[in-house]
Amino acid sequence: MAGMAKPHKRFVCQACGSVSSRWQGQCPDCAEWNTIVEEAPSVAASPFQAKHNLQGGGRAIEMIGLDSEVKLPDRIATGIAELDRALGGGFVEGSATLFAGDPGIGKSTLLLQAAAKLALAGKPVAYVSGEEAADQVRLRARRLGLGAAPVRLAAATSTRDILTTMSMGPPPALLVIDSIQTMHSDLIEGAPGTVSQVRASAQELIRFAKERGTAVVLVGHVTKDGSIAGPRVLEHMVDTVLSFEGERSHQYRILRAIKNRFGGTDEIGVFAMDEEGLSEVGNPSALFLTHREEGVTGATVFPALEGTRPVLVEIQALVVRLQSGATPRRSVVGWDSGRLAMVLAVLEARCGLSFSSAEVYLNVAGGYRVQDPAADLAVAAALVSALSERPVPADAVAFGEIALSGEVRPVAHAALRCKEAAKLGFERALAPASVGKEGGALRLSGFRTLGALVDHLLGRG
Ligand SMILES: Nc1ncnc2c1ncn2[C@@H]1O[C@H](COP(=O)(O)OP(=O)(O)OP(=O)(O)O)[C@@H](O)[C@H]1O
Ligand SMILES: [Mg+2]
């Protein structure tokens, strides 16, 4: 049988999707153990095809300039303002959105609410559940008070069945697939949930979206380490990736766009979870800034910025002196631990404060995750306050970026941060010296160096 190409075996890592030609215990790409699985061989190109010159024999495609007329894609606003905000104005017609989140965080709840709202507004909406029986979804709808919404509901897992049904009659404006990991394509072998199945099913659903102008939403599960389970590849295939985050023990949830081909990724939507489902939180600062007491050491308020929206959060630090020579712990919740190490190092090296024999705990209250680099100064103030046992004034907020040299650097949108702080009753800002007039109604204590902030907090002039 010379000349006949032998189908190659394919081994695919179920965590990262990397393909290798033999089985291995550990994936060479992502270093996960026991994630490599043999999958159906791809049809190898025949020697003829491989040798054939690709620069001929095809059809000519039309090339156009960047300046030709385009129509902005239509958006389907759900009427849930926080969801529309995270999406950049609503779902885009003919686009695919990956809706990712931890188990039980409320993905199905929010999408059912959005589907019902659109259906009540007269849009054709379909919701396909591969995880729950139709009755279970109906029960949830009833609990949320949405039992009367004309959503077309089905429990199915075959993409062929789903797309066949959707192609009969006019296509829906919104199609929710809950979840992509339960979908199965018969074009390819393998169990649902494997990388190749998820990829194939997503491909078919995305093609349907583009061809028929339906906004398709794929629900995806997230693994413990935060990656979208198995199919990281999905992130590349879809137009928009939304991540639904929050501590399950806390009431609020944050919806964040990680990727958006039709808009920015810096806006967040804030929701609170209760019996009636997810309700919108229009003023998140009030939520994160729960009862503050005067005279507490180690706490500062930081006006964080999420997109164009300021959110005030409390940063708490605890410093515990160790008697023995044991290696002290550094523990961080809600902030980057590398960043904490940096702020501690600058406090040691530039300001002469020693944390080396003390345990340091840092916590962002309410389970919020701070990503804004302007948090440095607020963290430093909390640490200095905890170490010196002198409270930071309760009427002050703090923000600014710290350089390794100990300089306090200006940050974006100082005016917006100060305005939000003033609105919530704060009177002072500890901030970079460059802020100046942007402080608005707040009394400003401006600092050029971290040393100056330390002196200020310790009352040294
Ligand atoms: N009867 C109820 N009353 C109040 N809250 C409820 C009730 N039932 C469920 N919930 C809340 O809804 C959450 C589950 O929401 P949902 O099913 O939308 O999550 P999910 O992200 O779709 O989960 P999964 O990953 O399992 O599909 C629960 O964690 C719980 O907080
Ligand atoms: Mg669900």
Side-chain angles (χ1 to χ4, degrees), residues 166-369:
M166 291 303 138
S167 304
M168 300 180 206
L174 178 74
L175 168 62
V176 178
I177 302 290
D178 188 359
S179 66
I180 187 64
Q181 275 109 343
T182 56
M183 292 299 136
H184 180 263
S185 162
D186 55 17
L187 291 181
I188 215 166
E189 276 177 56
T194 56
V195 175
S196 50
Q197 271 296 343
V198 166
R199 188 168 21 197
S201 304
Q203 223 151 31
E204 289 171 36
L205 290 159
I206 292 169
R207 184 171 338 123
F208 174 83
K210 307 273 162 193
E211 284 173 6
R212 307 300 298 268
T214 296
V216 171
V217 181
L218 310 173
V219 174
H221 294 289
V222 166
T223 50
K224 278 189 271 3
D225 59 3
S227 63
I228 296 166
R232 267 230 94 109
V233 277
L234 266 189
E235 289 186 48
H236 299 288
M237 296 167 61
V238 296
D239 300 303
T240 305
V241 180
L242 291 178
S243 163
F244 205 33
E245 305 164 359
E247 296 290 323
R248 234 173 317 166
S249 47
H250 285 91
Q251 200 200 3
Y252 79 90
R253 305 278 184 270
I254 289 179
L255 188 65
R256 200 187 289 278
I258 298 178
K259 154 180 171 175
N260 193 347
R261 284 183 183 154
F262 300 104
T265 53
D266 44 9
E267 296 289 352
I268 60 166
V270 184
F271 297 89
M273 181 73 145
D274 47 40
E275 187 80 12
E276 283 84 47
L278 290 149
S279 52
E280 301 173 50
V281 178
N283 180 7
S285 297
L287 184 76
F288 295 115
L289 224 53
T290 44
H291 49 272
R292 303 219 337 120
E293 279 169 45
E294 295 240 352
V296 179
T297 60
T300 33
V301 173
F302 167 54
L305 210 71
E306 289 287 354
T308 55
R309 180 153 65 168
V311 180
L312 267 63
V313 291
E314 187 179 272
I315 294 186
Q316 305 165 341
L318 182 65
V319 174
V320 185
R321 291 232 159 272
L322 285 184
Q323 301 301 333
S324 67
T327 313
R329 271 177 69 112
R330 269 96 180 85
S331 166
V332 193
V333 179
W335 206 47
D336 181 36
S337 56
R339 201 92 198 156
L340 171 66
M342 189 209 87
V343 171
L344 286 172
V346 176
L347 281 170
E348 292 235 24
R350 310 281 175 190
C351 312
L353 297 180
S354 174
F355 290 89
S356 55
S357 63
E359 297 198 319
V360 176
Y361 299 89
L362 192 80
N363 178 39
V364 179
Y368 187 82
R369 257 204 83 76

Side-chain angles (χ1 to χ4, degrees), residues 102-109 131 140 143 221 273-275:
D102 283 325
I105 205 80
K107 301 179 293 296
S108 306
T109 306
E131 286 184 342
R140 175 182 295 125
R143 170 164 62 83
H221 294 289
M273 181 73 145
D274 47 40
E275 187 80 12

Side-chain angles (χ1 to χ4, degrees), residues 135-156:
D135 275 345
Q136 237 173 318
V137 180
R138 220 172 287 130
L139 220 59
R140 175 182 295 125
R142 205 158 303 155
R143 170 164 62 83
L144 303 175
L146 301 168
V151 175
R152 288 166 64 206
L153 176 70

Side-chain angles (χ1 to χ4, degrees), residues 12-182:
V12 180
C13 171
Q14 302 301 302
C16 72
S18 93
V19 181
S20 41
S21 56
R22 64 191 173 92
W23 189 87
Q24 294 165 89
Q26 187 184 21
C27 172
D29 280 332
C30 68
E32 286 291 321
W33 287 92
N34 299 324
T35 52
I36 294 185
V37 169
E38 181 178 352
E39 290 192 354
S42 57
V43 183
S46 70
F48 173 76
Q49 276 172 322
K51 279 192 212 128
H52 195 76
N53 178 13
L54 270 182
Q55 294 170 18
R59 269 178 303 176
I61 51 172
E62 188 197 355
M63 308 291 286
I64 50 170
L66 283 175
D67 55 351
S68 44
E69 273 298 303
V70 276
K71 186 167 93 38
L72 274 180
D74 279 331
R75 286 190 182 268
I76 312 166
T78 59
I80 300 177
E82 296 291 311
L83 173 60
D84 291 340
R85 175 199 284 271
L87 283 165
F91 289 111
V92 174
E93 281 182 7
S95 77
T97 303
L98 177 64
F99 196 97
D102 283 325
I105 205 80
K107 301 179 293 296
S108 306
T109 306
L110 182 59
L111 288 172
L112 188 62
Q113 282 178 271
K117 197 131 187 188
L118 279 175
L120 286 170
K123 299 253 188 227
V125 173
Y127 189 107
V128 179
S129 179
E131 286 184 342
E132 295 168 286
D135 275 345
Q136 237 173 318
V137 180
R138 220 172 287 130
L139 220 59
R140 175 182 295 125
R142 205 158 303 155
R143 170 164 62 83
L144 303 175
L146 301 168
V151 175
R152 288 166 64 206
L153 176 70
T157 55
S158 155
T159 37
R160 185 186 293 277
D161 293 353
I162 294 167
L163 293 180
T164 305
T165 314
M166 291 303 138
S167 304
M168 300 180 206
L174 178 74
L175 168 62
V176 178
I177 302 290
D178 188 359
S179 66
I180 187 64
Q181 275 109 343
T182 56

